[in-house]
Amino acid sequence: MQLKSSFRRSVYAAFTVLFVTGAVWLVADWQKDISPDEIWQQLVDTNLTGVFHTLRAAIPVMRRQRFGRIVVTSSMGGRMGIPELAAYNATKWGVIGLAKSAALEVAKEGITINVICPTTVQTPMVQPEGGDDIPDDLVRRMMRANPIPQPWLQPEDVSRGVLYLVTDPGVVTGSVLEIGLGGSARIH
């Protein structure tokens, strides 16, 4: 509700770029007490429905301007299957489908919608709770997963991709930019 009222207030102030990011992930251990249904619902509500509501609020403003650049964050998990992350990956596949469909709906109106799919980014989402130290075994495990021997991306690696997509003159829409430390080479 707060997002909707923020966009209503900004109707008279033009905005041309929207970067939709934010996610939660929970590992579904089907043998534990937490319900897989609860995990599923929380992930869908945040990762997919949140993107839907943001696009629904922003697109009318951009339509009135006849211009806009939207970049939606998915994940490399939205390009492949990953054990124990089925619900997370399903939401990220859904984000890609939503963005591609919306891109087709607004393409003739000067609005582009693209998707950026980073691999793991070193943010608080992957940082252990309450500390700056990252366990060595986690670093080694993450490095083994990537053809480029780095454990994860830095936020500025993703920012460069977003900058490319929002500065495009309007010829790239419905595209998916994978920033996967070489992981893209394994999945297509």
Side-chain angles (χ1 to χ4, degrees), residues 2-62:
Q2 187 174 10
L3 176 66
K4 190 173 184 177
S5 58
S6 294
F7 275 106
R8 275 197 197 125
R9 284 192 303 271
S10 70
V11 168
Y12 298 105
F15 72 96
T16 57
V17 173
L18 176 65
F19 178 42
V20 185
T21 190
V24 294
W25 65 272
L26 300 167
V27 175
D29 183 341
W30 305 103
Q31 308 303 314
K32 299 282 182 183
D33 291 337
I34 188 167
S35 162
D37 291 340
E38 292 171 28
I39 291 171
W40 177 267
Q41 197 60 57
Q42 184 176 356
L43 290 169
V44 168
D45 287 349
T46 302
N47 297 352
L48 184 55
T49 305
V51 172
F52 167 76
H53 287 297
T54 303
L55 293 177
R56 189 175 67 182
I59 288 172
V61 175
M62 291 181 172

Side-chain angles (χ1 to χ4, degrees), residues 137-159:
D137 64 318
L138 176 60
V139 172
R140 284 191 298 276
R141 190 170 68 240
M142 297 301 289
M143 284 181 71
R144 280 194 307 268
N146 301 317
I148 295 173
Q150 295 179 26
W152 34 65
L153 298 169
Q154 294 302 312
E156 54 270 19
D157 298 324
V158 179
S159 298

Side-chain angles (χ1 to χ4, degrees), residues 17 67 69 71 112 160-171:
V17 173
F67 184 87
R69 299 290 178 264
V71 178
T112 64
R160 283 189 294 277
V162 172
L163 186 60
Y164 162 73
L165 293 169
V166 300
T167 58
D168 171 72
V171 297

